Amino acid sequence: MPKVTTVFSGCMPALMTPCNAAGVIDYDSLVRKGAELIDAGMSALIYCGSMGDWPLLTDEQRMEGVARLCAADLPVVVGTGAQNSARAVTLARHAQDVGATGLMVIPRVLSRGNVPAAQRFHFADILDAAPDLPAVIYNSPYYGFETKADLFFDLREEHANLVGFKEFGGAQSMRYAAEYITTADPDVALMVGVDTQAFHGFVNCGANGAITGIGNALPREVLRLVQLCEQAAQGDAEARRLAWELDKALHVLATFDESPDLVLYYKHLMVLEGNPEYAHQLHASDVLPNTQRAYLEAQWQLFRRWWDSWPGAV
């Protein structure tokens, strides 16, 4: 499948929101971690998606985080999840005004979220609010609505800034996106949106890039996986073997991306990887039970031992 030239390529971590024990956002740590990840080789940053706990933040907090990241000259793709379309429009307009790189357009939630006509107007309003920003629609069954090809191309006829599709569903959803949307138009990018589908997305579905949760904590390892998957997608048999091995070794840690506790899991993984500023949650009551924490730690240790002995690590 031909590759698309777009900002939506490479690997983009969906940033989490660091805070202190009282739930006060640590914007300096947010920007510092974003810069570290770009220096490590990430192509851009996502803020504020599910990993950023957008439902727990005020619009003003979200906009301040975006503004600070942009002021640090970091490439930022802004999530537009909101309680209503008017707020989503405000967030999109702000993203364009402060110099963001792109938009991740999240479906309408809570009210008429399963109505295609309502979603069409919701998406259109957001795209109209920031016409200079390239955008992907975030498709996820967890939002209660799956964008299909007819709606996507209806929107694309009127909005040149709609350039891609981020797929957070499973293997079948990824294949649908490739078969009916991104292969139908060579100028449309496909982004792998869930860590468990990296190999399938790149190798079998022609993805242009990945939006990652686990890559916040394991950037070197995830960037290696993306590199190998891209080579495998070109027919490199050795890269395919190595990509498969690494994908399988990461599998359990990657499945936390599919959990409602994904932020709790990955913040703890950040701490294990030497980032103590991620020890706290925006709501202090949001904690992993001891059993879940112990399981994560055991899987992290298992992966670390494997990686240290794996000949494909570079």
Side-chain angles (χ1 to χ4, degrees), residues 286-298:
D286 289 340
V287 295
L288 282 177
N290 290 335
T291 54
Q292 290 175 263
R293 181 186 293 258
Y295 182 65
L296 169 63
E297 292 172 356

Side-chain angles (χ1 to χ4, degrees), residues 208-219:
N208 294 82
I211 295 174
T212 177
I214 195 174
N216 284 278
L218 303 175

Side-chain angles (χ1 to χ4, degrees), residues 90-176:
T90 298
L91 294 166
R93 187 174 294 121
H94 173 266
Q96 179 169 291
D97 289 345
V98 298
T101 300
L103 288 181
M104 188 169 68
V105 182
I106 296 174
R108 178 171 173 169
V109 295
L110 301 178
S111 170
R112 303 185 71 223
N114 62 346
V115 180
Q119 292 290 2
R120 193 232 185 266
F121 286 109
H122 174 79
F123 289 143
D125 287 347
I126 295 169
L127 293 166
D128 280 337
D132 298 333
L133 293 186
V136 294
I137 284 181
Y138 182 160
N139 191 63
S140 171
Y142 298 99
Y143 282 116
F145 181 80
E146 294 197 60
T147 303
K148 298 300 184 182
D150 55 348
L151 174 56
F152 182 88
F153 287 112
D154 180 43
L155 287 164
R156 187 162 159 76
E157 284 185 5
E158 299 179 10
H159 304 279
N161 55 328
L162 178 56
V163 300
F165 199 77
K166 181 216 172 182
E167 181 52 69
F168 191 82
Q172 287 302 113
S173 296
M174 188 74 66
R175 178 168 172 173
Y176 174 87

Side-chain angles (χ1 to χ4, degrees), residues 8-285:
F8 292 103
S9 60
C11 190
M12 303 180 181
L15 295 178
M16 290 176 282
T17 303
C19 62
N20 65 18
V24 177
I25 298 173
D26 183 350
Y27 291 107
D28 290 339
S29 291
L30 175 71
V31 173
R32 184 168 56 251
K33 178 52 63 178
E36 289 175 4
L37 290 166
I38 293 298
D39 288 344
M42 297 293 182
S43 56
L45 309 167
I46 306 291
Y47 194 76
C48 185
S50 302
M51 287 286 291
D53 268 332
W54 70 259
L56 304 183
L57 302 175
T58 66
D59 293 349
E60 292 73 21
Q61 288 172 324
R62 293 170 65 179
M63 288 189 286
E64 182 168 356
V66 169
R68 291 201 187 199
L69 290 163
C70 291
D73 201 27
L74 297 171
V76 185
V77 173
V78 177
T80 66
Q83 186 178 5
N84 59 60
S85 298
R87 293 172 69 175
V89 163
T90 298
L91 294 166
R93 187 174 294 121
H94 173 266
Q96 179 169 291
D97 289 345
V98 298
T101 300
L103 288 181
M104 188 169 68
V105 182
I106 296 174
R108 178 171 173 169
V109 295
L110 301 178
S111 170
R112 303 185 71 223
N114 62 346
V115 180
Q119 292 290 2
R120 193 232 185 266
F121 286 109
H122 174 79
F123 289 143
D125 287 347
I126 295 169
L127 293 166
D128 280 337
D132 298 333
L133 293 186
V136 294
I137 284 181
Y138 182 160
N139 191 63
S140 171
Y142 298 99
Y143 282 116
F145 181 80
E146 294 197 60
T147 303
K148 298 300 184 182
D150 55 348
L151 174 56
F152 182 88
F153 287 112
D154 180 43
L155 287 164
R156 187 162 159 76
E157 284 185 5
E158 299 179 10
H159 304 279
N161 55 328
L162 178 56
V163 300
F165 199 77
K166 181 216 172 182
E167 181 52 69
F168 191 82
Q172 287 302 113
S173 296
M174 188 74 66
R175 178 168 172 173
Y176 174 87
E179 193 168 355
Y180 294 99
I181 297 177
T182 58
T183 304
D185 185 336
D187 293 326
V188 174
L190 174 62
M191 296 295 290
V192 178
V194 58
D195 287 316
T196 55
Q197 297 300 319
F199 182 92
H200 177 60
F202 279 101
V203 178
N204 300 325
C205 301
N208 294 82
I211 295 174
T212 177
I214 195 174
N216 284 278
L218 303 175
R220 177 188 175 194
E221 296 80 359
V222 170
L223 285 166
R224 177 60 171 154
L225 176 60
V226 169
Q227 177 192 44
L228 289 167
C229 287
E230 289 177 332
Q231 294 171 353
Q234 298 302 311
D236 186 327
E238 177 64 9
R240 185 183 182 111
R241 180 183 67 81
L242 292 171
W244 181 259
E245 291 176 358
L246 180 49
D247 183 72
K248 292 305 177 186
L250 277 169
H251 180 73
V252 172
L253 293 176
T255 59
F256 296 133
D257 195 23
E258 301 172 336
S259 166
D261 291 329
L262 78 166
V263 177
L264 280 64
Y265 278 118
Y266 286 148
K267 276 195 171 182
H268 188 51
L269 188 59
M270 293 285 279
V271 173
L272 294 174
E273 284 287 323
N275 301 274
E277 65 273 25
Y278 287 89
H280 303 290
Q281 304 294 334
L282 293 166
H283 282 298
S285 61

